Amino acid sequence: MSVSQIVELLKNHGLKITPQRVEILRFLQSNRIHPTAQQIYEHVLSKVGSVSFTTVYNTLHTLEEMGQVKKIAISESMAIYDIDTSDHGHFVCTVCGSIYDINYKVKMNLPGTVQRTELIVYGVCSQCSDYLQHNV
Amino acid sequence: MSVSQIVELLKNHGLKITPQRVEILRFLQSNRIHPTAQQIYEHVLSKVGSVSFTTVYNTLHTLEEMGQVKKIAISESMAIYDIDTSDHGHFVCTVCGSIYDINYKVKMNLPGTVQRTELIVYGVCSQCSDYLQHNV
DNA sequence: ATTACTGCAAAACCTTTGCAGTGGT
DNA sequence: ACCACTGCAAAGGTTTTGCAGTAAT
């Protein structure tokens, strides 16, 4: 998504175009690392020169309400933000911290109707297990 | 699990028997509500008369290390604790907050080896949807 | 008697909120 | 010129840590 498309997106939702908002969206869209608010803050600060956590959280909340971003609790102390709002799970490497998207199919009996499903798999990614195999 | 079995469990792991520890384990085992640290604190306070968050968290960490308790992040601000450490997922009712255990089978392609899997389904439980259907 | 455990108080951490000032429209 | 947005500073909620006193062995 280009900057002009980001600008369009913001305009279409009646939002003002600010450098912080544009850079937050650009970051989420170009680096699919599933960043934390902290990582977004650091990136935008380095690019735009001025940003606050207030603005980061404000923007993320706005984007969540717009349905443009999903917030995922990978731990009880932190959320990550995913610009891919389609149905998918996450693989978290407990060695390097990388987060991979995963596709899955689940079979289950539920005591009610579903709103959303979150699957998080913790493990060691191939890169890390290769590395460990050759170096430990 | 009886109190004497709880005492055995603690002894077998070289831990001292304190009223707080016994009551935390009793609570986790008798009420399978998947409590938060806050709920455990309140319960133990009402039963034992004296407890602190320090002790609640100390005990939960010890039990986690012993593999007797699983910590689950149902939101980014809070953890719940589950004495059932077997492989299962959770259904969280977004109306009443109840947490149900669910069994599931999942098919997926993974970019590494699995350590543990966490499935959380958010939705409305039958009780709440029945209630809503008749009263709204 | 020893030392593990409890619990207070303070800190750490992430996120939210109040409010004044700035900047996009 | 308007008012949405930014950002500081302070507060909120959950969890952790330091340390002194207490209680289980």
Side-chain angles (χ1 to χ4, degrees):
Chain A
M1 211 182 210
S2 65
V3 173
S4 60
Q5 283 175 306
I6 290 174
V7 169
E8 270 316 296
L9 177 70
L10 293 172
K11 273 191 184 165
N12 290 343
H13 286 83
L15 300 172
K16 293 189 174 167
I17 318 302
T18 70
Q20 289 83 1
R21 277 178 176 168
V22 172
E23 194 54 38
I24 290 171
L25 273 164
R26 251 168 57 79
F27 183 53
L28 285 166
Q29 278 166 351
S30 53
N31 305 47
R32 295 291 178 83
I33 61 168
H34 307 82
T36 60
Q38 175 77 43
Q39 289 175 309
I40 295 168
Y41 170 82
E42 280 166 11
H43 173 87
V44 177
L45 188 60
S46 77
K47 287 286 180 186
V48 176
S50 165
V51 75
S52 64
F53 275 100
T54 310
T55 296
V56 171
Y57 284 115
N58 279 347
T59 302
L60 289 170
H61 291 156
T62 306
L63 293 173
E64 263 191 281
E65 280 173 14
M66 286 164 55
Q68 292 291 327
V69 153
K70 269 202 305 190
K71 182 188 192 174
I72 293 143
I74 45 157
S75 80
E76 81 284 0
S77 71
M78 232 167 38
I80 61 167
Y81 294 87
D82 195 342
I83 194 133
D84 180 354
T85 58
S86 73
D87 234 328
H88 66 280
H90 293 96
F91 180 92
V92 180
C93 178
T94 54
V95 175
C96 67
S98 297
I99 298 172
Y100 301 80
D101 289 330
I102 54 180
N103 290 312
Y104 66 93
K105 282 253 183 287
V106 65
K107 273 194 183 173
M108 52 192 173
N109 286 321
L110 292 174
T113 54
V114 178
Q115 286 168 340
R116 69 182 201 281
T117 300
E118 235 173 64
L119 177 74
I120 306 181
V121 180
Y122 298 88
V124 182
C125 72
S126 321
Q127 276 185 20
C128 285
S129 47
D130 283 358
Y131 180 83
L132 292 173
Q133 224 163 21
H134 294 111
N135 296 276
V136 184
Chain B
M1 213 182 208
S2 64
V3 172
S4 60
Q5 283 175 305
I6 290 175
V7 169
E8 270 317 297
L9 176 71
L10 293 172
K11 273 191 186 165
N12 290 343
H13 285 83
L15 298 172
K16 291 187 174 169
I17 317 302
T18 69
Q20 289 83 0
R21 278 179 177 166
V22 172
E23 194 53 38
I24 289 171
L25 273 163
R26 252 168 56 78
F27 183 53
L28 285 166
Q29 277 165 352
S30 54
N31 305 49
R32 295 291 178 85
I33 61 168
H34 306 82
T36 61
Q38 176 76 43
Q39 288 174 310
I40 296 169
Y41 170 82
E42 280 165 11
H43 173 88
V44 177
L45 188 61
S46 77
K47 288 285 178 185
V48 176
S50 166
V51 75
S52 64
F53 274 101
T54 309
T55 297
V56 171
Y57 284 115
N58 280 347
T59 302
L60 290 169
H61 291 156
T62 306
L63 293 174
E64 263 191 281
E65 279 172 15
M66 286 165 54
Q68 291 292 326
V69 152
K70 269 202 306 189
K71 183 186 189 176
I72 293 144
I74 45 157
S75 80
E76 81 283 359
S77 72
M78 233 168 36
I80 61 168
Y81 294 88
D82 195 342
I83 195 135
D84 180 356
T85 58
S86 71
D87 232 329
H88 66 280
H90 293 97
F91 180 91
V92 180
C93 178
T94 54
V95 176
C96 66
S98 296
I99 297 172
Y100 302 80
D101 288 331
I102 54 180
N103 290 312
Y104 67 93
K105 282 254 184 287
V106 65
K107 274 194 184 174
M108 52 192 174
N109 286 321
L110 291 175
T113 54
V114 178
Q115 287 167 341
R116 67 181 202 281
T117 300
E118 235 172 66
L119 177 74
I120 305 181
V121 180
Y122 298 87
V124 182
C125 71
S126 321
Q127 277 185 20
C128 286
S129 48
D130 283 359
Y131 180 84
L132 292 172
Q133 222 163 22
H134 295 112
N135 296 276
V136 184

